[in-house]
């Protein structure tokens, strides 16, 4: 009957995409506990020996649309001393699908992408901290991993998409009240901003500190989202009872 979402993630005309009655609260519809971390793992402990720039695309591999291949290729070509980190799939099927795809059109990625073994939450959050920049894939973006990464404040560069599934990072930045957040409107902006943020250490560090503070204040344990969800449920139940 209903689909609960947020004005921060949906477009003004998003109702046309839903068969359910779209309900939009003005918070991200979640109460998110920050990850509990008892150790920061080093690059060496995580199996990383690259000394240059590290871009992380730490998503489930099925999210990586072919449109994204060209973009990450342009990023590593622009930042020559770089690698992109990805998380390998348990059975390796998607690793092979991607590598076969890249070998036909973007062979540079075969050497520029390093697949990291499956990690614990503690290790994963440490990995986000090891990255200079995180890359939000097109069409189906980050969600849980973005929330985990803000514990250390690693900036995620995102492209504002058409559908909610690609606008979660954009919505989170809005809720966090981040001015000039690293969200972009086209592919060229995405490439240039990712490389700029990775190479400009001063700008990168300043944004990290801002994101760490904002996540604690506005993103984690957001009681207002619970209150608004309760209000929706109570109003809906009341209308059913009247009928």
């Amino acid at each position: 009957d209903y689909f609960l979402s947020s004005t921060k993630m949906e477009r003004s005309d998003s109702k046309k995409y839903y068969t359910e009655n779209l309900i939009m609260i003005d918070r991200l519809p979640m109460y998110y506990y920050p990850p509990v971390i008892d150790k920061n793992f080093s690059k060496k402990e995580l199996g990383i020996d690259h000394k240059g720039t590290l871009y992380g695309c730490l998503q489930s591999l099925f999210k990586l649309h072919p449109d994204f291949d060209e973009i990450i290729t342009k990023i590593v070509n622009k930042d020559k001393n770089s690698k992109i980190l990805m998380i390998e799939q348990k059975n390796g099927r998607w690793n092979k699908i991607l590598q076969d795809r890249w070998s036909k059109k973007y062979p540079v990625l075969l050497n520029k992408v390093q697949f990291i073994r499956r990690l614990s939450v503690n290790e994963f959050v440490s990995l986000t901290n090891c990255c200079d920049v995180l890359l939000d894939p097109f069409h189906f973006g980050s969600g849980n991993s973005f929330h985990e990464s803000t514990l250390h404040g690693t900036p995620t560069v995102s492209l504002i998409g058409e559908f909610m599934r690609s606008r979660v990072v954009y919505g989170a930045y809005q809720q966090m009240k981040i001015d000039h957040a690293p969200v972009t409107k086209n592919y060229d902006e995405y490439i240039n901003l990712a490389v700029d943020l990775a190479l400009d250490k001063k700008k990168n560090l300043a944004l990290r500190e801002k994101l760490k503070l904002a996540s604690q204040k506005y993103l984690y344990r957001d009681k207002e989202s619970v209150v608004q969800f309760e209000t929706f449920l109570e109003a809906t139940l009341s209308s059913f009872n009247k009928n």
Side-chain angles (χ1 to χ4, degrees):
D1 297 295
Y2 299 95
F3 190 98
L4 182 68
S5 188
S6 168
T7 57
K8 290 183 167 51
M9 298 188 297
E10 300 284 358
R11 296 176 5 155
S12 59
D13 62 347
S14 285
K15 289 187 177 182
K16 67 184 181 183
Y17 299 126
Y18 291 86
T19 56
E20 306 90 349
N21 184 13
L22 178 62
I23 303 298
M24 293 184 285
I25 62 175
D26 66 8
R27 311 292 292 176
L28 299 186
M30 66 186 77
Y31 185 89
Y32 196 93
Y33 293 93
V36 178
I37 302 304
D38 54 22
K39 176 183 176 180
N40 285 319
F41 289 84
S42 67
K43 292 179 183 179
K44 183 178 180 180
E45 290 174 305
L46 297 172
I48 304 165
D49 57 12
H50 182 67
K51 305 299 183 185
T53 317
L54 290 174
Y55 297 87
C57 187
L58 310 179
Q59 305 298 309
S60 299
L61 298 181
F62 68 79
K63 290 184 178 183
L64 303 189
H65 191 280
D67 288 350
F68 199 54
D69 297 350
E70 180 182 2
I71 303 309
I72 58 177
T73 298
K74 288 183 177 180
I75 287 173
V76 297
N77 285 338
K78 187 169 184 175
D79 183 358
K80 300 293 186 183
N81 191 24
S82 65
K83 272 205 169 182
I84 296 176
L85 304 179
M86 296 184 182
I87 304 292
E88 66 182 12
Q89 192 186 44
K90 284 182 180 179
N91 61 17
R93 177 174 175 268
W94 269 99
N95 303 47
K96 187 175 186 308
I97 288 174
L98 290 176
Q99 289 169 326
D100 288 347
R101 197 168 82 195
W102 297 338
S103 67
K104 296 172 184 175
K105 198 169 182 180
Y106 303 105
V108 67
L109 295 179
L110 298 175
N111 293 320
K112 283 292 191 175
V113 172
Q114 178 182 348
F115 288 100
I116 304 295
R117 61 179 172 82
R118 304 288 295 183
L119 303 172
S120 68
V121 172
N122 199 149
E123 290 172 318
F124 181 85
V125 174
S126 294
L127 179 60
T128 68
N129 192 36
C130 291
C131 296
D132 295 286
V133 166
L134 298 174
L135 303 173
D136 194 27
F138 303 156
H139 312 311
F140 193 155
S142 311
N144 185 58
S145 59
F146 173 80
H147 284 67
E148 291 173 330
S149 72
T150 58
L151 190 73
H152 290 300
T154 308
T156 295
V157 175
S158 186
L159 180 78
I160 304 174
E162 184 175 5
F163 304 110
M164 180 269 287
R165 61 179 177 266
S166 62
R167 297 167 67 94
V168 177
V169 171
Y170 171 57
Y173 278 140
Q174 290 186 80
Q175 183 161 307
M176 294 163 72
K177 304 181 187 299
I178 301 299
D179 294 329
H180 309 295
V183 292
T184 60
K185 296 180 180 178
N186 58 60
Y187 291 171
D188 287 340
E189 280 184 11
Y190 186 101
I191 295 162
N192 293 332
L193 182 57
V195 174
D196 179 54
L197 261 182
L199 298 180
D200 190 331
K201 303 304 181 186
K202 184 177 180 180
K203 183 187 295 185
N204 189 295
L205 181 60
L207 183 54
R208 281 175 183 259
E209 292 303 313
K210 187 183 294 185
L211 292 175
K212 281 193 286 188
L213 292 173
S215 65
Q216 295 293 338
K217 189 173 183 180
Y218 300 114
L219 196 63
Y220 299 145
R221 298 189 179 94
D222 180 37
K223 291 183 180 179
E224 180 57 31
S225 66
V226 179
V227 171
Q228 292 190 27
F229 188 31
E230 288 174 340
T231 300
F232 156 69
L233 290 175
E234 289 173 346
T236 304
L237 181 60
S238 177
S239 66
F240 273 115
N241 288 338
K242 289 178 180 177
N243 294 332

